[in-house]
C-alpha cells in the first residue's frame, strides 16, 4: 500500500526543491523535479517517490496564485520575492521597490555589498553610484534584484506584522 500526498503552494516557493530534498535524503535514484529560480517551471502535475518504506509518493504541482491581489504593493512584494515573473511588473520597478524596502527597514548592508559611498533613495542614484552604462544598466539592475532575493543585503519580512500581534505569550 502507498501513501500519496501533494505539494501545493504559490509559484516559486520551493515545492519541487522540497521534493528533491526528500528524495535525496531517502537515497531514491529516480528522476528529479526540475527547479529554477523563476516561477512557472512546473507546468504539469507529476508524482515522485520520496520514500520506499513506507512507500510514499509526493505529487508536485504548478504554483497556484491567489485570485485577487489587493494593491500595487502586494504585486511588488510578490514580484520582489520571485513569485510573479519580473517581466510582468518590470525589473526596474522591482529594483526600485527593493531599494525602498531596504531603506525603510534600515537594512543598509547593500551599501557595503555594492561598495557605495552611502544610502541611495532611487534606482537612478544606485545606477550612477554603480557606474552603470547604457550597456550594463539591465545587468546591474538584475544583479541587484538577485542579490536581494539571495539575502545578500540581509533577511527581513516585507509585510507589517504588527497588526497580527495578539499580546504577550504567557507560558
Amino acid at each position: 500500500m502507498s501513501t500519496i500526498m501533494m505539494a501545493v503552494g504559490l509559484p516559486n516557493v520551493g515545492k519541487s526543491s522540497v521534493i528533491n530534498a526528500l528524495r535525496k535524503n531517502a537515497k531514491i535514484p529516480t528522476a528529479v523535479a526540475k527547479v529554477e529560480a523563476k516561477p512557472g517551471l512546473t507546468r504539469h502535475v507529476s508524482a515522485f517517490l520520496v520514500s520506499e518504506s513506507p512507500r510514499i509518493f509526493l505529487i508536485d504541482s504548478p504554483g497556484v496564485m491567489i485570485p485577487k491581489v489587493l494593491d500595487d504593493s502586494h504585486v511588488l512584494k510578490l514580484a520582489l520575492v520571485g513569485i510573479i515573473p519580473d517581466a510582468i511588473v518590470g525589473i526596474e520597478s522591482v529594483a526600485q521597490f527593493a531599494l525602498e524596502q531596504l531603506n525603510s527597514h534600515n537594512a543598509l548592508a547593500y551599501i557595503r555589498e555594492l561598495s557605495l559611498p552611502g544610502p541611495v533613495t532611487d534606482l537612478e542614484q544606485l545606477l550612477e553610484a554603480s557606474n552603470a552604462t547604457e550597456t550594463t544598466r539591465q545587468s546591474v539592475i538584475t544583479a541587484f534584484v538577485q542579490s536581494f532575493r539571495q539575502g545578500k543585503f540581509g533577511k527581513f519580512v516585507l509585510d507589517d506584522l504588527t497588526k497580527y500581534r495578539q499580546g504577550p505569550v504567557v507560558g
Side-chain angles (χ1 to χ4, degrees):
M1 180 163 206
S2 297
T3 299
I4 300 173
M5 300 184 301
M6 183 174 221
V8 180
L10 291 167
N12 208 38
V13 295
K15 297 177 296 292
S16 299
S17 295
V18 167
I19 289 170
N20 288 337
L22 290 170
R23 289 181 54 267
K24 183 178 179 182
N25 188 49
K27 297 179 174 65
I28 297 174
T30 58
V32 297
K34 293 180 183 176
V35 294
E36 196 171 302
K38 66 178 186 177
L41 182 65
T42 304
R43 296 180 188 266
H44 305 284
V45 172
S46 304
F48 295 90
L49 181 66
V50 295
S51 174
E52 289 281 3
S53 182
R55 196 163 175 81
I56 300 173
F57 288 90
L58 187 52
I59 298 173
D60 194 11
S61 65
V64 292
M65 276 299 293
I66 49 179
K68 177 182 172 189
V69 177
L70 302 176
D71 58 33
D72 291 346
S73 173
H74 284 91
V75 172
L76 287 166
K77 287 175 186 177
L78 292 170
L80 182 54
V81 297
I83 291 174
I84 295 176
D86 295 331
I88 290 178
V89 178
I91 190 72
E92 291 192 13
S93 296
V94 175
Q96 178 64 44
F97 185 71
L99 186 58
E100 291 167 4
Q101 291 299 306
L102 290 166
N103 288 328
S104 71
H105 286 86
N106 205 30
L108 304 177
Y110 75 93
I111 298 167
R112 183 186 74 262
E113 188 73 28
L114 300 175
S115 302
L116 299 174
V120 294
T121 56
D122 71 25
L123 187 56
E124 291 307 318
Q125 289 177 327
L126 177 79
L127 292 167
E128 185 178 316
S130 300
N131 297 316
T133 65
E134 263 323 296
T135 318
T136 62
R137 178 183 177 90
Q138 283 306 113
S139 61
V140 169
I141 293 170
T142 301
F144 176 71
V145 171
Q146 289 304 321
S147 292
F148 182 96
R149 289 177 178 154
Q150 293 165 359
K152 291 182 179 177
F153 306 141
K155 296 181 181 181
F156 50 91
V157 177
L158 295 175
D159 292 321
D160 176 14
L161 300 180
T162 58
K163 62 184 173 185
Y164 299 107
R165 289 197 179 136
Q166 300 286 324
V169 176
V170 180

